[in-house]
Amino acid sequence: PMGPLTYYNGLIFAGSLSGLMVALDARDGKILWKHETKGSVVSAPSIVNDQLFWGTGYHLGFQDNKLYSFGP
């Protein structure tokens, strides 16, 4: 992963220019979850009401121009 990180409830979320978003265990760095997109992730993901949000498709890397949301 590359770019800004977001910490929430024992997890670290990080995106990459290749379009990958990962959730890491904050204690040991183990990848717990990952999702591949078709656009670069260059901004920090946000958490609102237990929902994870991030956008893709910036002027750097791959352009996909989508907003993703995951949560309960």
Side-chain angles (χ1 to χ4, degrees), residues 2-72:
M2 176 183 160
L5 306 175
T6 297
Y7 175 84
Y8 180 74
N9 202 22
L11 300 174
I12 296 173
F13 296 94
S16 71
L17 285 177
S18 68
L20 187 65
M21 175 60 68
V22 297
L24 308 163
D25 185 312
R27 292 174 291 152
D28 60 15
K30 182 177 180 181
I31 296 176
L32 303 174
W33 171 87
K34 63 183 173 179
H35 181 80
E36 291 187 40
T37 71
K38 294 183 181 188
S40 298
V41 182
V42 296
S43 296
S46 298
I47 309 270
V48 178
N49 295 329
D50 294 329
Q51 291 279 124
L52 172 68
F53 294 90
W54 79 91
T56 63
Y58 303 95
H59 65 280
L60 299 172
F62 303 105
Q63 296 186 7
D64 185 38
N65 300 324
K66 292 189 179 176
L67 176 65
Y68 290 84
S69 174
F70 287 90

